[in-house]
Structure formats: structure tokens, C-alpha cells
Amino acid sequence: MVREFKLPDVGEGVAEGELLEWHVEPGDTVSEDQVVADVETDKAVVDVPSPVNGTVRELLAEPGDVVPVGEVIITFDVEGEAPEESEGGAAAETGTETDAAGEAGAAPDDAGETAESSVNGKGGRVFAAPSARRLARELGVDITGVDGSGPGGRVTESDVRAAAEGGDSAGSEAGESDDGKQLKSAVSRIDDGDSGGNKSSVGDGLQSAVSRVDDGEGGEPGGAAPESGAAASVEAAGRERTLAAPATRQVAEDLGVDIDDVPTDEVRDGQAFVDEAAVREYAEVQQRAQAADAEALADAADAGEAGATAESAEAGASGADDAATGAVEAAKGDRREPYSGMRRTIGQAMERSKFTAPHVTHHEKVDATALVETREKLKERADERGVKLTYVPFVMKAVVAALDEHPVLNTQLDEDNEEIVFKSDRNVGVAAATEAGLMVPVVESVDEKGLLQLASEVNELVSKARERSIAREEMQGGTFTITNFGAIGGEYATPIINYPETAILGLGAIEERPVAEDGEVVARDVLPLSLSVDHRVVDGADAARFVETLKEYLEDPTLLLLE
């Protein structure tokens, strides 16, 4: 029988993952727990194991695709395993009703594909990669009505494009109304830059179609909008409850979208499920429709020149689309790469922190001469024990000592309950630059560990982060963060807080600088510090006092022996 395998929930709160690499191909024999793919979720790369002993039948996602948790990514042929309901294979296993097994002439070997294709139409699944599904949404094509030319009837991107160009969408096959087809056709021509021959009819058709979608058939307010294509995205779903990841809800809020209005055919635990792509698509189509409607009405007032109608509508729709999506024109020689996976996760976290917590940064210089000398004395002893001793463990110990005296910097703001939470733990995150972006491994209970143990743990965690083998839980639970940009070069910066923490310390490069001492200029090792704080919780005076205490410990590291 055919066994479908869905992308599992590989971490708490993860709603999707980017497929990085397949380790198998169709026809390969696999054993249970054999790694078949690498998937990146949030800030970690995880192995996806096979759930069965069998043969790979089909790969349903491509490297680079962002796949929602719960979506089928691979199918297996499993011998000696009885079907759960019928020879419908994958459809029976997922609970999809099918009568494929009863169709005359349906061969047993084709049962899996027949089951999938038999439920196409309304709410059924089709074989299609996520990239093909995204393209279908962008072009306003109902993918359930597209005939697939790939293996086993799989719908490819070329199939979707052909359907869009030839009007072969499920909307027309399923009896889509003339209003929906007019709107879809008009929007499609405007998006594609079609300026030939029929400009006036494009504008008129768009104005008429948008008007009927907004006002209902026959001019009655609240009338039903078409059920597919671009028009379906314009109509609000109006559900009472919707499942979505917290990040998706934040995106909806930022875009001014009611998440219960976002159309979706995906269901989780009996409830409608919406992902970020659907939210953004809905917002863009709403904005595009509004802009096109306004443009069409404006064109109608200047109907004397038929050729100007479509040209104006094209410019208006294009401008509105660029404004809504933040589109960037690429010149010849420019290179594009996907803003996805870990890079997108980092970007979203930075955006949330910067626009949630009002940042204030306090800069200071530390005479690190004694610190440099102390490290030099201990470095040889650390080497003998197989530990690389950097300045970071010293700073970590100094930070937790200063936090004991200034606990307001070891806090989190509970906005829901309107309370400041003073954390009892001293868990320090250490930002690490990797090829995939910035990661923040967390060293727990720094106040309970010695320098060599801290050095060993930091080195191990940073190494795991750069090898992309670090576990998700090893980057959680931090209460304060240190970022050492001086290791690359630089003096001062304005670090972004690792939200929901309220402070982050940036370390500049330790360099020998001229310093005035007892009326003379002498050379001293100087360490620049940059402390960013959440000004809702931490006042500037609190930040300054914390840095002054930190300076005492860094300028005289022997004080750390008392801690």
C-alpha cells in the first residue's frame, strides 16, 4: 500500500519548515528511522526520519520549499501492510473519502493516484509541490482543477502557468460565475502587463467585476462573491475560530487583517488553519482589488480616451502592488536569493524586538589592562586542560555579578499581566555569527560555574551552532545576552535586544589606546562597551549604574574571586 508521511511538528510552536535537502530518491529502499530529509525550522536544522520500512514512491516537496507542519512531503510503498479502509491507499490513511477503488478499470497499481485525483474539486488534495501551490495562488488558479503532467498526475509549475494562460482553472470547471471570471481575467492582464488591443475593455471589465464583487450580484449589498480564483481571496471568510502560529497572528495584526477572514482550505484538529503566506496573500489581493477599483472609477471619469484606461489601470495596480509588497526592482547583474528559513526567522525576531521595545544604548570604555594580563596568565593553564580561554567567560562572570546588584536588567516584561518579571536564573546567551545568520546559544546558571567550565560550554555551543547541529532548547531560556562584535572588528554598536529580555551587552575590540593617567599619556588596553536596554523597564540611570559596576569587575578581575 501507499503510505503518506506528513512533515511532523519537530519543535514546540513550529508551524512550518524549509526543506533543505533530500537524502533519498524515488525507488530507493529505506528502513524505519533512516534519515530521508533535512528540514530547517526557526533556528535549527533537524533530521526527518522514515516512519516505515519500504520504498520511496514520490517526493512531494522540493529543496527550498517552505512546508507547513502536517503537509505530506513524501510517500512510501509498504509491502505486507493492510490498507486501513480500502485500496485507496494514501487517501484512506488520511481519512479522505474516495470511491477510486470502485471505478471500473482502475488498476491496483494506480489506486494511490486514483484516490488522490478522485477527490479533486472541492476541498480535495492534489499531488503538487508547495512551490506549485504558491504559484497557483499568485496567478489566481484553483489548483484542484489543473491536470497534472508530472509522475502520478502531479501538478507542476508549468501546468499551473499553462492553466493560467489558457484559463484552465477549477473556477471555470466548477461553474465559476461570470463576475469572478471577469475580475480574474482583468487582474491577470493588468498584472502581466498586457497592453495590447483591448485596453478599454480591460478597464471596463475590471470596474464592472470589482463593483459586482463589492456590492453583490444585481447591486444588492452583501451579495455572494465568486468562490474561486482572485475573487475568492477578496471575500472575507468570516470564521468564528482560526488556528495559526503566534508569528502568523502578529503578521495579520501588522497588516491590519482579521485572521478569521483569511480564506483557507487547510484544517488542523477540525479547525481552519492559516499560515503566514495565506495572510500576506489575502492582504495583498485586498489591497490590489481596492487600488484597482479606485483606479477603474477614476478612469471612468476620463472615458474619452479608451487607450488610456488600461494603461492607467496597469500603472495603478502595479504601483499599489509594489507598495503593498515592498517590491524591489532588480537591475542587470543583481543577484536574488530567498528571504526564508533561518534568515527570515532572524529578521522577524529583530523586527519584533526593535518595534516592540524602545531601545536606548549606553556606551562606555573600560581599562582592560588587568583583564588582558589575567587572561594571559590563565590561558596556558587552560590550554593544558584542553580548553580555549577567551575574554567572554570573564565578561559573563562580571555580568552576573553586576546583575546581582542591578537585577532590573535581568527581567522580562509581561505585557498581558502588566508585570515586570525579575528572573532568578542567570542564563546568559552568547550571540554567534554563523553562515546561516546570528544564533544565540544559552549558557545556564552562569553564577554557579567557574571560568574553565564556562569557556568549555561556550566553545561547545558556538561550535554546534556553526555546524547547525544545536538543539532548539539550547537556544532558549536566556535572561541576558552578550554579543562580541569586537571579535570581527569595531568599537561601538547599538545591539538589538534579544526579546523578551530587557538588556544586551555588546563588546568592542580590545585595543591598545592612549589614556591620560596622572597627567601623563600612557598606553592601556581598552574595551568599549555598548549596552542596549528596553526603556520601558530600564531607565538610563539604571543602565549607567550597571555599567559602572561591570567596569569595576572587568578592571580588577580578582574581585570575581569573591563571587
Side-chain angles (χ1 to χ4, degrees), residues 73-151:
I73 59 173
I74 186 173
T75 59
F76 301 93
D77 287 323
V78 183
E79 295 183 2
E81 189 171 297
E84 294 184 9
E85 293 184 13
S86 71
E87 284 297 313
E93 184 175 339
T94 56
T96 305
E97 295 182 2
T98 176
D99 58 356
E103 287 188 14
D109 289 344
D110 298 330
E113 286 87 346
T114 307
E116 285 288 351
S117 61
S118 67
V119 296
N120 285 351
K122 194 171 184 179
R125 280 188 48 79
V126 294
F127 282 127
S131 56
R133 295 179 188 275
R134 285 197 300 271
L135 180 62
R137 290 196 297 267
E138 293 169 2
L139 298 180
V141 173
D142 188 343
I143 202 166
T144 60
V146 179
D147 294 329
S149 62

Side-chain angles (χ1 to χ4, degrees), residues 38 59 61 121 123 128 135 155 197 273-274 301 307 325 346 359 372 383 399 431 475 524:
D38 292 335
L59 307 180
L135 180 62
V155 177
F273 178 85
V274 169
T325 62
I346 293 171
H359 284 52
V372 172
D383 290 341
V399 161
M475 296 188 291
R524 307 289 287 179

Side-chain angles (χ1 to χ4, degrees), residues 4-275:
E4 289 185 340
F5 181 64
K6 302 175 182 178
L7 180 65
D9 185 350
V10 293
E12 181 181 358
V14 173
E16 62 185 15
E18 179 179 352
L19 179 65
L20 297 181
E21 180 182 6
W22 283 112
H23 295 295
V24 294
E25 297 180 353
D28 286 354
T29 299
V30 296
S31 58
E32 186 174 357
D33 293 331
Q34 175 182 334
V35 176
V36 297
D38 292 335
V39 173
E40 180 181 88
T41 59
D42 283 341
K43 293 186 177 182
V45 175
V46 296
D47 296 332
V48 177
S50 168
V52 296
N53 296 320
T55 303
V56 177
R57 182 185 184 89
E58 188 173 12
L59 307 180
L60 301 179
E62 300 174 2
D65 287 342
V66 177
V67 185
V69 168
E71 180 161 321
V72 178
I73 59 173
I74 186 173
T75 59
F76 301 93
D77 287 323
V78 183
E79 295 183 2
E81 189 171 297
E84 294 184 9
E85 293 184 13
S86 71
E87 284 297 313
E93 184 175 339
T94 56
T96 305
E97 295 182 2
T98 176
D99 58 356
E103 287 188 14
D109 289 344
D110 298 330
E113 286 87 346
T114 307
E116 285 288 351
S117 61
S118 67
V119 296
N120 285 351
K122 194 171 184 179
R125 280 188 48 79
V126 294
F127 282 127
S131 56
R133 295 179 188 275
R134 285 197 300 271
L135 180 62
R137 290 196 297 267
E138 293 169 2
L139 298 180
V141 173
D142 188 343
I143 202 166
T144 60
V146 179
D147 294 329
S149 62
R154 184 182 186 187
V155 177
T156 65
E157 291 186 35
S158 59
D159 295 332
V160 173
R161 295 186 187 279
E165 294 172 1
D168 182 22
S169 69
S172 57
E173 292 183 6
E176 179 182 27
S177 69
D178 291 340
D179 299 350
K181 286 183 284 187
Q182 279 184 285
L183 176 58
K184 182 186 298 182
S185 176
V187 173
S188 176
R189 285 198 295 273
I190 289 176
D191 286 345
D192 295 338
D194 182 7
S195 57
N198 247 336
K199 296 182 179 180
S200 179
S201 63
V202 170
D204 295 342
L206 175 59
Q207 178 178 343
S208 175
V210 171
S211 176
R212 285 196 293 273
V213 169
D214 289 342
D215 298 336
E217 186 64 22
E220 297 179 5
E227 293 184 1
S228 62
S233 296
V234 174
E235 184 182 73
R239 293 180 298 275
E240 293 185 359
R241 186 183 179 195
T242 302
L243 299 182
T248 301
R249 294 186 184 277
Q250 183 62 48
V251 170
E253 182 178 340
D254 294 343
L255 295 177
V257 169
D258 186 340
I259 203 163
D260 292 327
D261 288 343
V262 179
T264 182
D265 59 359
E266 188 169 354
V267 176
R268 302 275 181 87
D269 298 328
Q271 298 287 340
F273 178 85
V274 169
D275 59 16

Side-chain angles (χ1 to χ4, degrees), residues 338-362:
Y339 178 62
S340 60
M342 187 176 300
R343 174 52 57 193
R344 185 181 65 176
T345 299
I346 293 171
Q348 290 172 341
M350 294 292 184
E351 180 182 18
R352 181 187 180 195
S353 176
K354 192 65 176 178
F355 290 101
T356 299
H359 284 52
V360 171
T361 305
H362 180 87

Side-chain angles (χ1 to χ4, degrees), residues 426-478:
R426 299 292 186 262
N427 301 335
V428 178
V430 180
T434 73
E435 292 183 357
L438 194 68
M439 295 189 183
V440 186
V442 175
V443 180
E444 298 181 349
S445 305
V446 172
D447 52 327
E448 300 175 4
K449 298 172 181 176
L451 284 174
L452 291 185
Q453 184 178 356
L454 289 176
S456 179
E457 289 190 22
V458 169
N459 295 340
E460 180 181 359
L461 287 170
V462 170
S463 177
K464 290 169 68 175
R466 288 173 177 160
E467 294 171 358
R468 308 287 293 279
S469 62
I470 191 167
R472 182 183 178 84
E473 56 269 18
E474 292 176 309
M475 296 188 291
Q476 296 177 329

